[in-house]
Amino acid sequence: MTLVAGDTVRAEAGQPFSLEYAGEPTRLEADGGTEVAVPEPGPGKEIRLGAGELTATVAPQPAGRPFAIVTPHARIEVLGTTIAVRVGPVSTRLEVREGRARIDGVEVSAGHYAEAEQGKAPVPRPLTGGLKGEYFDHEDFTKPAMTRIEPRSASMTRVPPGWTANECSRSFSTSAAAAEGPKASQAGA
C-alpha cells in the first residue's frame, strides 16, 4: 500500500513493519508498538514518529532537502546515514550507526548517540559496546550469508526489527514501486 499525507501506521506489539521510498534505497524498519505518520509534503521528506522505535537507512538527499523525523521531543535531520530512533515518555534518543545526523540542530556522528529532552540541549556521547552477529544459510557454517554489527548501549538493547531471538537467517524482499511516498509492509509478510 502507498502512504499519503495524513496516513498513520500503528503497529501492535510484536508486529514490526517497514517503509520504503520509491526510486531510492531509503528504508525504515519499525518495531512493534511504533506509530509513524506522514505529514503534508514539504521541501524534503518527513515522517512523524509518535511512539516506539525505528531504524532508518536513508539515501543521501538533495541539498537543502534533508529527510526529517519529527518526534514529540525533537526534530532529527538525517544526512544520508543509518540511525536508530526511540521515542520514550519524556525524551527521544538518536543513535547514529553510519554517517551523521542532527537532533535539534546538534550534529551527531557515527558511533555516537544523543537524547533530546524538554529543557535540555542534546549532547553527543559515544556508544558503548556492540554486538556482531553472523547468519548462515547452510548447516556447515562455512560462509556467513550476512554479518550484522549492531551498536548496543545500556538503554537501547533489543532484537533488530523483523527478527526473533531464535532466527538464524531472514531475507527481506523489496518490491519496485512506481508511486512516490513510502510503502508499508509487515516484516515476514
Side-chain angles (χ1 to χ4, degrees):
M1 100 174 101
T2 299
L3 301 178
V4 296
D7 285 349
T8 299
V9 178
R10 289 180 191 89
E12 297 296 322
Q15 297 295 316
F17 65 92
S18 65
L19 299 173
E20 297 176 350
Y21 280 83
E24 67 177 77
T26 295
R27 183 176 177 91
L28 306 164
E29 297 282 340
D31 286 351
T34 297
E35 178 183 296
V36 174
V38 180
E40 292 296 322
K45 294 180 182 79
E46 181 177 300
I47 63 159
R48 298 195 185 273
L49 179 61
E53 184 175 333
L54 64 79
T55 300
T57 301
V58 179
Q61 301 294 304
R65 298 175 60 178
F67 184 95
I69 299 172
V70 179
T71 75
H73 319 105
R75 177 180 175 84
I76 297 166
E77 292 182 351
V78 185
L79 307 171
T81 189
T82 301
I83 64 168
V85 179
R86 185 186 65 212
V87 175
V90 296
S91 67
T92 295
R93 179 182 173 102
L94 164 68
E95 287 189 3
V96 180
R97 298 178 180 169
E98 295 176 16
R100 58 194 174 88
R102 284 190 290 265
I103 182 167
D104 290 343
V106 175
E107 189 162 313
V108 182
S109 59
H112 291 78
Y113 75 95
E115 290 194 41
E117 190 174 335
Q118 188 168 351
K120 296 182 182 178
V123 177
R125 294 185 168 87
L127 290 167
T128 57
L131 179 65
K132 178 180 179 182
E134 290 186 328
Y135 304 90
F136 299 86
D137 284 336
H138 305 289
E139 292 179 14
D140 62 5
F141 300 102
T142 56
K143 184 178 177 189
M146 181 179 83
T147 299
R148 182 180 182 116
I149 299 181
E150 187 79 23
R152 193 166 112 181
S153 62
S155 64
M156 195 173 195
T157 303
R158 62 178 173 70
V159 174
W163 295 69
T164 60
N166 62 356
E167 281 184 308
C168 291
S169 66
R170 182 175 182 86
S171 63
F172 293 95
S173 62
T174 58
S175 59
E180 286 292 322
K183 299 274 188 183
S185 64
Q186 283 195 312

Tab-separated table of all heavy atoms in Angstrom, residues 153-176:
chain	number	residue	atom	x	y	z
A	153	SER	N	23.827	-0.183	23.632
A	153	SER	CA	24.051	0.598	24.841
A	153	SER	C	23.066	0.120	25.893
A	153	SER	O	22.105	-0.571	25.595
A	153	SER	CB	23.871	2.086	24.548
A	153	SER	OG	22.557	2.326	24.135
A	154	ALA	N	23.324	0.508	27.116
A	154	ALA	CA	22.512	0.006	28.222
A	154	ALA	C	21.032	0.323	28.066
A	154	ALA	O	20.185	-0.477	28.428
A	154	ALA	CB	23.034	0.578	29.536
A	155	SER	N	20.695	1.479	27.506
A	155	SER	CA	19.284	1.849	27.443
A	155	SER	C	18.624	1.502	26.112
A	155	SER	O	17.462	1.785	25.923
A	155	SER	CB	19.131	3.345	27.711
A	155	SER	OG	19.762	4.065	26.692
A	156	MET	N	19.348	0.865	25.180
A	156	MET	CA	18.745	0.544	23.887
A	156	MET	C	19.187	-0.853	23.446
A	156	MET	O	19.924	-1.023	22.499
A	156	MET	CB	19.142	1.583	22.849
A	156	MET	CG	18.300	1.557	21.610
A	156	MET	SD	18.749	2.971	20.591
A	156	MET	CE	17.376	2.962	19.483
A	157	THR	N	18.763	-1.853	24.173
A	157	THR	CA	19.098	-3.228	23.855
A	157	THR	C	17.850	-3.908	23.338
A	157	THR	O	16.825	-3.907	23.978
A	157	THR	CB	19.595	-3.965	25.126
A	157	THR	OG1	20.702	-3.240	25.632
A	157	THR	CG2	19.994	-5.378	24.799
A	158	ARG	N	17.950	-4.483	22.122
A	158	ARG	CA	16.774	-5.099	21.512
A	158	ARG	C	17.206	-6.061	20.421
A	158	ARG	O	18.322	-6.039	19.970
A	158	ARG	CB	15.874	-4.042	20.918
A	158	ARG	CG	16.573	-3.279	19.811
A	158	ARG	CD	15.659	-2.271	19.196
A	158	ARG	NE	16.355	-1.445	18.258
A	158	ARG	CZ	16.817	-1.837	17.080
A	158	ARG	NH1	16.658	-3.062	16.678
A	158	ARG	NH2	17.441	-1.005	16.278
A	159	VAL	N	16.272	-6.883	20.007
A	159	VAL	CA	16.464	-7.723	18.839
A	159	VAL	C	16.146	-6.840	17.638
A	159	VAL	O	15.178	-6.087	17.666
A	159	VAL	CB	15.514	-8.946	18.894
A	159	VAL	CG1	15.584	-9.747	17.620
A	159	VAL	CG2	15.850	-9.803	20.101
A	160	PRO	N	16.963	-6.860	16.568
A	160	PRO	CA	16.697	-5.996	15.417
A	160	PRO	C	15.271	-6.190	14.884
A	160	PRO	O	14.716	-7.286	14.966
A	160	PRO	CB	17.726	-6.450	14.378
A	160	PRO	CG	18.821	-7.060	15.189
A	160	PRO	CD	18.137	-7.689	16.372
A	161	PRO	N	14.667	-5.131	14.310
A	161	PRO	CA	13.302	-5.226	13.794
A	161	PRO	C	13.152	-6.377	12.809
A	161	PRO	O	14.007	-6.603	11.964
A	161	PRO	CB	13.093	-3.886	13.082
A	161	PRO	CG	14.089	-2.970	13.697
A	161	PRO	CD	15.252	-3.826	14.101
A	162	GLY	N	12.060	-7.108	12.920
A	162	GLY	CA	11.777	-8.196	11.997
A	162	GLY	C	12.448	-9.504	12.341
A	162	GLY	O	12.299	-10.482	11.623
A	163	TRP	N	13.201	-9.562	13.416
A	163	TRP	CA	13.914	-10.778	13.811
A	163	TRP	C	13.335	-11.291	15.122
A	163	TRP	O	12.842	-10.530	15.931
A	163	TRP	CB	15.392	-10.477	14.029
A	163	TRP	CG	16.101	-10.064	12.796
A	163	TRP	CD1	15.932	-8.898	12.100
A	163	TRP	CD2	17.088	-10.798	12.095
A	163	TRP	NE1	16.756	-8.861	11.021
A	163	TRP	CE2	17.490	-10.012	10.995
A	163	TRP	CE3	17.683	-12.036	12.292
A	163	TRP	CZ2	18.440	-10.440	10.094
A	163	TRP	CZ3	18.642	-12.442	11.388
A	163	TRP	CH2	19.008	-11.658	10.298
A	164	THR	N	13.441	-12.589	15.326
A	164	THR	CA	13.136	-13.151	16.636
A	164	THR	C	14.429	-13.728	17.174
A	164	THR	O	15.361	-13.986	16.426
A	164	THR	CB	12.059	-14.253	16.552
A	164	THR	OG1	12.536	-15.291	15.705
A	164	THR	CG2	10.753	-13.698	16.024
A	165	ALA	N	14.500	-13.898	18.465
A	165	ALA	CA	15.749	-14.302	19.097
A	165	ALA	C	16.287	-15.632	18.567
A	165	ALA	O	17.487	-15.850	18.554
A	165	ALA	CB	15.557	-14.378	20.608
A	166	ASN	N	15.434	-16.545	18.113
A	166	ASN	CA	15.924	-17.854	17.693
A	166	ASN	C	16.119	-17.988	16.189
A	166	ASN	O	16.445	-19.050	15.704
A	166	ASN	CB	14.999	-18.961	18.207
A	166	ASN	CG	13.598	-18.838	17.637
A	166	ASN	OD1	13.292	-17.902	16.925
A	166	ASN	ND2	12.751	-19.780	17.981
A	167	GLU	N	15.934	-16.910	15.420
A	167	GLU	CA	16.130	-16.996	13.975
A	167	GLU	C	17.612	-16.916	13.645
A	167	GLU	O	18.344	-16.143	14.226
A	167	GLU	CB	15.411	-15.873	13.248
A	167	GLU	CG	13.941	-16.112	13.098
A	167	GLU	CD	13.296	-15.014	12.286
A	167	GLU	OE1	13.494	-13.844	12.638
A	167	GLU	OE2	12.625	-15.351	11.317
A	168	CYS	N	18.047	-17.724	12.687
A	168	CYS	CA	19.431	-17.679	12.236
A	168	CYS	C	19.575	-16.867	10.967
A	168	CYS	O	20.610	-16.300	10.706
A	168	CYS	CB	19.967	-19.086	11.994
A	168	CYS	SG	20.159	-20.018	13.502
A	169	SER	N	18.557	-16.821	10.160
A	169	SER	CA	18.635	-16.014	8.942
A	169	SER	C	17.246	-15.563	8.556
A	169	SER	O	16.259	-16.151	8.943
A	169	SER	CB	19.267	-16.812	7.803
A	169	SER	OG	18.416	-17.874	7.437
A	170	ARG	N	17.221	-14.482	7.813
A	170	ARG	CA	15.956	-13.933	7.354
A	170	ARG	C	16.248	-13.094	6.129
A	170	ARG	O	17.244	-12.407	6.072
A	170	ARG	CB	15.347	-13.057	8.446
A	170	ARG	CG	14.018	-12.473	8.077
A	170	ARG	CD	13.461	-11.728	9.301
A	170	ARG	NE	12.176	-11.198	9.014
A	170	ARG	CZ	11.045	-11.857	9.140
A	170	ARG	NH1	11.052	-13.106	9.541
A	170	ARG	NH2	9.906	-11.297	8.866
A	171	SER	N	15.418	-13.169	5.167
A	171	SER	CA	15.626	-12.330	3.998
A	171	SER	C	14.447	-11.392	3.855
A	171	SER	O	13.322	-11.724	4.200
A	171	SER	CB	15.777	-13.183	2.737
A	171	SER	OG	14.586	-13.896	2.497
A	172	PHE	N	14.740	-10.215	3.401
A	172	PHE	CA	13.705	-9.231	3.160
A	172	PHE	C	13.572	-9.068	1.657
A	172	PHE	O	14.547	-8.999	0.944
A	172	PHE	CB	14.081	-7.869	3.759
A	172	PHE	CG	14.122	-7.887	5.252
A	172	PHE	CD1	15.309	-8.085	5.920
A	172	PHE	CD2	12.969	-7.712	5.984
A	172	PHE	CE1	15.350	-8.108	7.293
A	172	PHE	CE2	13.001	-7.713	7.358
A	172	PHE	CZ	14.204	-7.920	8.013
A	173	SER	N	12.357	-9.029	1.178
A	173	SER	CA	12.156	-8.785	-0.235
A	173	SER	C	11.661	-7.368	-0.402
A	173	SER	O	10.950	-6.839	0.439
A	173	SER	CB	11.147	-9.775	-0.820
A	173	SER	OG	9.902	-9.606	-0.182
A	174	THR	N	12.110	-6.756	-1.458
A	174	THR	CA	11.646	-5.411	-1.753
A	174	THR	C	10.947	-5.442	-3.090
A	174	THR	O	11.225	-6.274	-3.938
A	174	THR	CB	12.825	-4.421	-1.808
A	174	THR	OG1	13.739	-4.884	-2.803
A	174	THR	CG2	13.530	-4.330	-0.474
A	175	SER	N	10.019	-4.584	-3.240
A	175	SER	CA	9.305	-4.532	-4.500
A	175	SER	C	9.534	-3.178	-5.140
A	175	SER	O	9.607	-2.163	-4.461
A	175	SER	CB	7.805	-4.762	-4.272
A	175	SER	OG	7.310	-3.778	-3.411
A	176	ALA	N	9.678	-3.171	-6.446
A	176	ALA	CA	9.827	-1.913	-7.167
A	176	ALA	C	8.473	-1.230	-7.165
A	176	ALA	O	7.441	-1.855	-7.380
A	176	ALA	CB	10.291	-2.178	-8.589
